[in-house]
Amino acid sequence: MDINSNRVENFSGPACLQTTTGTVVTIPLDMAMPPLQVHKVALPQPRTTVQKLRHRLSEIFFPDDPLHKFKNQTWYRKLVLGLQFFFPIFQWAPNYSFKLLKSDVISGLTIASLAIPQGISYAKLANLPPIVGLYSSFIPPLIYSVLGSSKHLAVGPVSIASLVMGTMLSESVSYSEEPILYLQLALTATFFAGLFQASLGFLRLGFIIDFLSKATLVGFMAGAAVIVALQQLKGLFGIDHFTNKMQLIPVLSSVFHHRDEWSWQTIVMGVSFLVLLLTTRQISIRKPKLFWVSAAAPLASVILSTILIVCLKSKVHGIQTIGHLPKGLNPPSLNMLYFHGPHLALSMKTGIVTGILSLTEGIAVGRTFATLKNYQVDGNKEMMAIGLMNMAGSCSSCYVTTGSFSRSAVNYNAGAQTVVSNIIMATAVLVTLLFLMPLFYYTPSFILAAIIITAVIGLIDYWAAIRLWKVDKLDFLACMCSFLGVLFISVPLGLAIAIGVSIFKILLHITRPNTAVLGNIPSTQIYQNLNRYREAVRVPSFLILSVEAPIYFANSTYIQERILRWIREEEEWIETNNRNSIKCVILDMTAVTAIDTSGIDTIKELRKLLEKRSLKFVLANPVGSVMEKLHQSNILESFGLEGLYLTVGEAVADISSLWKAQP
């Protein structure tokens, strides 16, 4: 243990500071420790159990105090505020102008050019009919425009949720052999995803999704992106028979095992369009003003590839195309929801997993762009909006949708001002559904594969992984665990590993909190970590310790053992350096925000152990809730008047004066 050797040789007289170079500097007493007035540690204001419970529940579920706007308002004003709270459209619609509409029309048409090809592509990724992807780009954006609070979130299908849904459902049901049952399960999973999301928002339990830390999400998204990209080699190479598994080795094995099915015409055209799409993406990244280049590239590629296939269909054979897509609006699908039978549990599990992922992505994207434009997004309202959107979507032939980062970025760069851009996008999709479906008949599968690969490459954030390595090795380990879990085990288990690693990290911080030895910074009443502040010095006859976490049943034994170890190490240091022996141990409880009965028992046990060793045990600056529990447990009586102080400085000064006054 590297312990700072700075030490105050005599606290009651002039202080002698021994530096790390061995030089001893004498500091006058009035500079080393000015006299202090000892203050009484006060108890918090008395409250009933009901008041405490009410305050605690308010802090847990309503930290933002969402009802503060309703205070001291008339009934009419409260009604208006209520409508605006539940339906944000009533908040911005009265002030909507033609200038805002102009910006929203431009951005809406821009993201529509991206949403149409992506919708078709992501539906194929989820093993659903391509038309379902367009249905999911029509109804959900309209619902979100009424309920959502983000101005820039562009709603529609996303790659990760599509991949997870396709993976989980395909493990039990074949989409090629039982397409109707598969579609029923997908719609039912969407309903349960929406129900789960809306419930989290209504019950204000959004903190549950925080268990997916940023580090684990970086790894999970990167792993899923690699798997998604490799799966698209089927369409890019023109392979007819391909594995349904989602692990790295089976996918690569399937690619090379079916080399006889590779089509050189498909590969040449597919790779050419992939290079084109990646080039336009790089152009938009390097020159943000040219965002429209990458936004328009997918639809332009679909049009060009379709024209190319039409012109070459008599000369080039065997190239897979989308085929017939039905025209018309979303058909009702309430009768297709699957609420009974052997696959109900599968639908619920798939819905919850995809619901968590889509909710995490949607809220993260919404908050990102809200920060850029300096407005606030209500997480719980977003959960309700996304949840109700998915529940309604499941009844109108849509599968899981949320806010897409790629489309939202295009929406933001195109100058979107309100969620009307989603309405414009939905209108463009409506026109496509009603009149343009026959044009997609000859759209080749390789262009859909190229669009998906281009989209998911942006999910591989290797710079974020590098930052994790530099800043927090444990976060980097969590990132790599989720990344490798997705690649080599499965996407759902990779997600479970990500959550498990996040929870393990939380438990590690709770069960093994930081403890430190504090020293005095000369000429001040400040006490800081000796290892962190080299100018801090030990106070003779005192061992000042700090615990930087709540003291709970999960860490109370560790804290007791660690404090006893600090005492042993200090005594060994004193014996080696021939210094004054320890007479008093001060526990700085400034960072101890809570304590339970196990923690109280630990404090009581420590006092008894130290008393047997003729060491005084003192508590400094317990916070209100901790002080209240210590008082109710009657443990303070055993400490007496000289066992509880407001600050470490007051404790050191008062106890030193008492020692000096003793004969």
Side-chain angles (χ1 to χ4, degrees):
M1 182 65 64
D2 180 21
I3 299 178
N4 192 345
S5 60
N6 295 353
R7 187 174 180 83
V8 176
E9 294 294 338
N10 186 353
F11 183 77
S12 58
C16 299
L17 170 61
Q18 181 179 357
T19 65
T20 54
T21 60
T23 305
V24 178
V25 181
T26 302
I27 302 175
L29 178 61
D30 56 349
M31 289 182 62
M33 190 65 63
L36 283 179
Q37 178 183 357
V38 178
H39 297 85
K40 181 181 179 182
V41 181
L43 285 167
Q45 293 294 327
R47 293 180 299 174
T48 64
T49 302
V50 174
Q51 289 175 326
K52 294 178 186 177
L53 179 62
R54 181 181 177 183
H55 174 74
R56 189 60 181 161
L57 292 177
S58 175
E59 290 298 313
I60 293 174
F61 297 108
F62 304 98
D64 55 344
D65 190 15
L67 302 180
H68 72 281
K69 294 181 180 180
F70 293 83
K71 295 177 181 178
N72 303 320
Q73 299 291 339
T74 63
W75 282 105
Y76 174 76
R77 183 59 182 164
K78 288 181 179 179
L79 177 62
V80 173
L81 291 173
L83 287 174
Q84 292 176 349
F85 182 82
F86 290 105
F87 303 98
I89 190 173
F90 289 106
Q91 189 169 358
W92 55 263
N95 300 319
Y96 198 71
S97 64
F98 180 78
K99 182 180 179 181
L100 296 176
L101 177 62
K102 181 181 177 181
S103 299
D104 287 335
V105 168
I106 294 174
S107 58
L109 293 176
T110 305
I111 58 175
S113 66
L114 183 61
I116 292 171
Q118 280 191 353
I120 296 173
S121 304
Y122 292 158
K124 294 282 287 184
L125 186 59
N127 301 320
L128 292 168
I131 191 65
V132 175
L134 289 180
Y135 290 157
S136 303
S137 300
F138 173 50
I139 295 294
L142 293 177
I143 297 175
Y144 182 82
S145 64
V146 176
L147 301 175
S149 59
S150 173
K151 300 176 183 179
H152 300 96
L153 197 68
V155 172
V158 293
S159 57
I160 299 301
S162 301
L163 170 69
V164 171
M165 175 173 284
T167 303
M168 296 184 69
L169 294 181
S170 297
E171 290 178 353
S172 300
V173 179
S174 172
Y175 60 89
S176 57
E177 296 177 3
E178 300 177 282
I180 301 299
L181 176 60
Y182 187 91
L183 179 59
Q184 287 180 315
L185 296 180
L187 295 174
T188 308
T190 300
F191 176 84
F192 282 117
L195 181 63
F196 176 73
Q197 293 166 336
S199 299
L200 287 182
F202 181 76
L203 299 175
R204 304 187 70 82
L205 296 174
F207 58 85
I208 291 178
I209 65 172
D210 292 336
F211 283 103
L212 271 175
S213 67
K214 173 67 174 178
T216 54
L217 276 177
V218 168
F220 175 81
M221 292 293 189
V226 172
I227 293 297
V228 169
L230 292 177
Q231 274 283 339
Q232 301 318 302
L233 295 180
K234 173 186 177 182
L236 209 60
F237 288 5
I239 301 173
D240 292 320
H241 303 89
F242 203 75
T243 181
N244 292 328
K245 296 182 179 180
M246 290 291 178
Q247 295 84 20
L248 179 65
I249 295 176
V251 171
L252 290 177
S253 299
S254 183
V255 170
F256 292 102
H257 183 70
H258 296 98
R259 284 175 301 195
D260 56 321
E261 297 183 12
W262 291 11
S263 168
W264 69 267
Q265 299 98 329
T266 302
I267 294 174
V268 169
M269 288 186 286
V271 172
S272 299
F273 276 103
L274 177 60
V275 171
L276 173 64
L277 291 169
L278 291 175
T279 302
T280 58
R281 181 176 180 273
Q282 286 301 315
I283 291 173
S284 296
I285 290 175
R286 295 184 179 184
K287 296 184 177 181
K289 291 183 178 180
L290 297 178
F291 68 90
W292 55 269
V293 175
S294 62
L299 185 58
S301 299
V302 168
I303 295 172
L304 289 175
S305 62
T306 303
I307 294 173
L308 186 63
I309 296 302
V310 171
C311 295
L312 299 177
K313 65 179 179 180
S314 60
K315 299 180 181 180
V316 179
H317 303 283
I319 294 182
Q320 302 169 0
T321 60
I322 292 178
H324 174 71
L325 294 178
K327 291 196 298 183
L329 298 177
N330 301 35
S333 57
L334 181 61
N335 60 326
M336 294 189 68
L337 297 182
Y338 186 96
F339 291 130
H340 58 83
H343 300 296
L344 178 60
L346 174 64
S347 294
M348 295 178 66
K349 182 173 69 173
T350 304
I352 291 175
V353 173
T354 55
I356 291 174
L357 285 174
S358 59
L359 198 60
T360 303
E361 181 175 357
I363 292 179
V365 171
R367 285 175 174 169
T368 297
F369 292 105
T371 301
L372 294 176
K373 282 295 186 179
N374 196 28
Y375 67 93
Q376 191 171 1
V377 170
D378 189 324
N380 288 292
K381 284 200 287 188
E382 285 295 284
M383 292 178 197
M384 292 181 65
I386 295 174
L388 294 174
M389 175 181 75
N390 280 316
M391 291 176 67
S394 68
C395 300
S396 54
S397 301
C398 304
Y399 78 108
V400 174
T401 54
T402 188
S404 163
F405 185 82
S406 59
R407 287 193 293 275
S408 299
V410 171
N411 196 31
Y412 174 83
N413 290 324
Q417 299 297 317
T418 68
V419 288
V420 171
S421 59
N422 276 287
I423 299 176
I424 302 300
M425 179 190 71
T427 304
V429 174
L430 172 62
V431 173
T432 304
L433 287 170
L434 292 177
F435 305 109
L436 304 180
M437 285 295 95
L439 300 180
F440 292 99
Y441 185 89
Y442 288 106
T443 299
S445 296
F446 66 74
I447 196 61
L448 302 182
I451 290 172
I452 292 175
I453 292 173
T454 305
V456 300
I457 280 179
L459 299 176
I460 304 175
D461 192 353
Y462 56 89
W463 286 114
I466 293 173
R467 286 194 297 271
L468 290 174
W469 171 258
K470 291 180 178 179
V471 176
D472 192 327
K473 300 298 188 293
L474 189 59
D475 267 353
F476 179 79
L477 177 63
C479 173
M480 294 307 299
C481 284
S482 57
F483 175 71
L484 297 175
V486 171
L487 283 186
F488 294 101
I489 304 177
S490 70
V491 175
L493 286 178
L495 177 62
I497 290 173
I499 297 175
V501 170
S502 298
I503 294 176
F504 173 76
K505 183 181 176 183
I506 294 172
L507 293 176
L508 188 63
H509 285 300
I510 291 175
T511 58
R512 295 296 183 267
N514 290 332
T515 59
V517 177
L518 305 184
N520 175 248
I521 296 180
S523 303
T524 73
Q525 294 296 334
I526 299 173
Y527 290 80
Q528 287 291 346
N529 191 329
L530 285 171
N531 287 327
R532 182 181 173 192
Y533 291 87
R534 306 306 298 180
E535 66 270 27
V537 295
R538 287 184 172 88
V539 180
S541 303
F542 287 91
L543 175 61
I544 306 169
L545 301 174
S546 173
V547 177
E548 300 175 355
I551 304 179
Y552 287 134
F553 65 93
N555 61 18
S556 58
T557 301
Y558 168 80
I559 289 174
Q560 178 175 330
E561 293 173 350
R562 193 66 186 88
I563 289 176
L564 294 176
R565 177 183 165 189
W566 278 120
I567 295 173
R568 186 185 73 248
E569 290 175 348
E570 183 74 3
E571 289 175 340
E572 291 173 354
W573 185 91
I574 288 172
E575 184 178 352
T576 302
N577 293 274
N578 194 25
R579 306 297 184 185
N580 294 338
S581 61
I582 303 174
K583 295 181 181 180
C584 178
V585 177
I586 300 176
L587 182 61
D588 183 5
M589 302 184 72
T590 302
V592 180
T593 56
I595 193 169
D596 66 358
T597 53
S598 297
I600 293 172
D601 289 340
T602 296
I603 298 295
K604 188 183 300 184
E605 185 67 21
L606 278 171
R607 191 195 65 79
K608 291 180 180 178
L609 290 173
L610 297 182
E611 190 177 52
K612 291 178 181 179
R613 298 170 63 172
S614 300
L615 295 176
K616 187 177 182 62
F617 187 43
V618 173
L619 306 180
N621 195 28
V623 299
S625 59
V626 173
M627 182 65 183
E628 185 177 26
K629 290 187 177 181
L630 293 175
H631 174 72
Q632 291 173 345
S633 66
N634 297 323
I635 190 176
L636 296 179
E637 296 177 0
S638 60
F639 278 86
L641 296 176
E642 301 164 8
L644 188 66
Y645 291 88
L646 186 60
T647 67
V648 173
E650 290 185 7
V652 172
D654 187 55
I655 295 172
S656 298
S657 64
L658 290 175
W659 288 343
K660 187 176 181 181
Q662 290 177 357

